[in-house]
Amino acid sequence: MAIPSLVLISGPEQLLADRALRSTVDLVRETEPDAETIRVDAAAYEPGELMLHTSPSLFGGLKIVVVRDLDEGGDALVEEVTTLAKSPIDQAVLVVMHKGGNRGKRALDALKKGGARVIDAPSIKSDRDKASFVTNEFRSARRKVSPDAVQALLDAVGKDLGELAAACAQLVADTTGVVDVEQVNEYYGGKVEATGFRVAEMAVAGNAGEALRLLRHALASGLDPVPIVAVLAGQLRQIAKVASAGQGSSGAVARDLGMAPWQVDRARRSARGWDGDRLGRAIQAVAAADFDVKGGGRDPVFAVERAVLTICKERHGR
């Protein structure tokens, strides 16, 4: 692949942006192993700095000049990036990173018009997008992962993309064959998100004994009530959203709600036996517990236990 003289990495997802930067540097060093990497801090930029760094060196050799966070830079930096994008750069590769928004748009337009290689780093926030990310992580490693394992990994590791990527890498390194839910639970089943999900699953199903057993074991192990209540709230909200979304296909509902299809299927299964009034009261009980465990009440443990018992009671219509 030819070495580009201009590269634009555009988007807010830091993990993807950093990966794009690494792959660009690696590409350059395939043919220029001694290429020097120079990083330019947009927030502390001094006028003329970029022009200096991109000028040919007396000693020769290629330079990789990386401008991070152009969206945080001032007019001088934007002007110099724009100028460089309009004229050939000799003995340098200019990599510009921009998290999004309109600031620095003139420079972005100039880079694109100048033929920059554009690499997107889109935000990955919805559960559906995170499920696709996990699946692609295993696919890139030439491994397969079961849908249930993807679900279990999201439940266990949760929100942070970096943690998800690290978890995928560990499972790839430490296991063989198709990654299944048992392997995910073996490595990550003890995390608070996974524990909270199992508590929520039992509570929503009305299984008070098992829900309390899991909850008390988690609390005795030192887990804080706050994230457990957050998982309870999240599961109930998903059920409410899916129940009010109609009877469309799982894929269509997932697209509308920003969820993964398997999450829609799970919420639909969990919604059986509930009606709107009882579900609303369960959500209110969890909201009260959330207030109590964050300092509004005297006994956080009692607050979360009471919320679990209320959910079970409402599930059975009592």
Side-chain angles (χ1 to χ4, degrees):
M1 186 181 293
I3 298 174
S5 61
L6 299 171
V7 177
L8 171 60
I9 301 173
S10 177
E13 194 58 68
Q14 196 62 53
L15 176 71
L16 301 184
D18 287 341
R19 284 183 174 181
L21 176 59
R22 285 197 300 271
S23 67
T24 299
V25 172
D26 290 344
L27 174 64
V28 173
R29 287 182 173 160
E30 284 180 8
T31 54
E32 297 284 345
D34 296 326
E36 178 188 7
T37 300
I38 300 169
R39 299 179 183 272
V40 174
D41 182 1
Y45 186 74
E46 295 290 337
E49 185 181 351
L50 191 57
M51 293 301 186
L52 175 64
H53 289 317
T54 54
S55 298
S57 169
L58 292 175
F59 302 100
L62 189 71
K63 292 182 285 187
I64 307 167
V65 182
V66 180
V67 178
R68 298 193 72 105
D69 303 325
L70 177 65
D71 48 287
E72 297 180 13
D75 292 341
L77 177 58
V78 171
E79 182 62 34
E80 289 178 36
V81 170
T82 303
T83 299
L84 287 170
K86 293 178 178 179
S87 57
I89 302 175
D90 187 28
Q91 291 299 302
V93 174
L94 176 63
V95 183
V96 177
M97 305 176 75
H98 189 279
K99 297 190 295 297
N102 290 322
R103 191 167 183 179
K105 185 177 184 301
R106 187 159 57 92
L108 301 185
D109 291 342
L111 286 165
K112 293 173 184 176
K113 189 174 181 180
R117 177 175 294 164
V118 179
I119 305 174
D120 291 325
S123 177
I124 297 180
K125 291 184 178 180
S126 73
D127 291 323
R128 179 184 62 202
D129 289 344
K130 288 179 181 177
S132 296
F133 172 80
V134 169
T135 302
N136 287 332
E137 289 291 283
F138 286 100
R139 184 180 296 125
S140 297
R142 298 185 178 180
R143 293 287 298 279
K144 293 184 178 180
V145 59
S146 72
D148 286 345
V150 174
Q151 172 183 338
L153 196 57
L154 290 177
D155 288 333
V157 180
K159 308 300 182 183
D160 185 79
L161 205 65
E163 288 188 17
L164 274 176
C168 293
Q170 182 177 29
L171 287 167
V172 166
D174 293 354
T175 65
T176 59
V178 178
V179 176
D180 58 25
V181 67
E182 287 76 17
Q183 291 168 324
V184 173
N185 286 336
E186 179 184 352
Y187 279 82
Y188 300 104
K191 289 181 70 68
V192 63
E193 293 87 350
T195 301
F197 170 72
R198 291 197 294 272
V199 171
E201 187 178 38
M202 291 297 104
V204 167
N207 189 337
E210 184 64 8
L212 285 177
R213 184 191 71 79
L214 289 168
L215 174 63
R216 287 166 181 167
H217 177 73
L219 295 172
S221 300
L223 296 182
D224 193 277
V226 173
I228 295 176
V229 171
V231 176
L232 283 169
Q235 293 300 313
L236 288 171
R237 284 196 298 268
Q238 279 194 355
I239 292 171
K241 287 166 63 177
V242 170
S244 62
Q247 297 301 313
S249 68
S250 298
V253 172
R255 283 192 298 273
D256 291 341
L257 298 180
M259 299 167 61
W262 57 261
Q263 289 179 310
V264 173
D265 292 336
R266 183 178 69 187
R268 281 175 167 168
R269 289 193 299 269
S270 299
R272 294 168 188 162
W274 286 92
D275 62 31
D277 289 340
R278 288 185 285 117
L279 187 59
R281 289 193 291 270
I283 291 173
Q284 288 175 349
V286 174
D290 183 69
F291 174 79
D292 288 343
V293 300
K294 291 178 178 176
R298 295 182 177 180
D299 190 338
V301 172
F302 173 73
V304 67
E305 286 188 351
R306 181 175 57 192
V308 166
L309 288 173
T310 301
I311 294 169
C312 293
K313 181 187 73 173
E314 295 294 347
R315 170 60 177 78
H316 293 294
R318 296 197 298 268

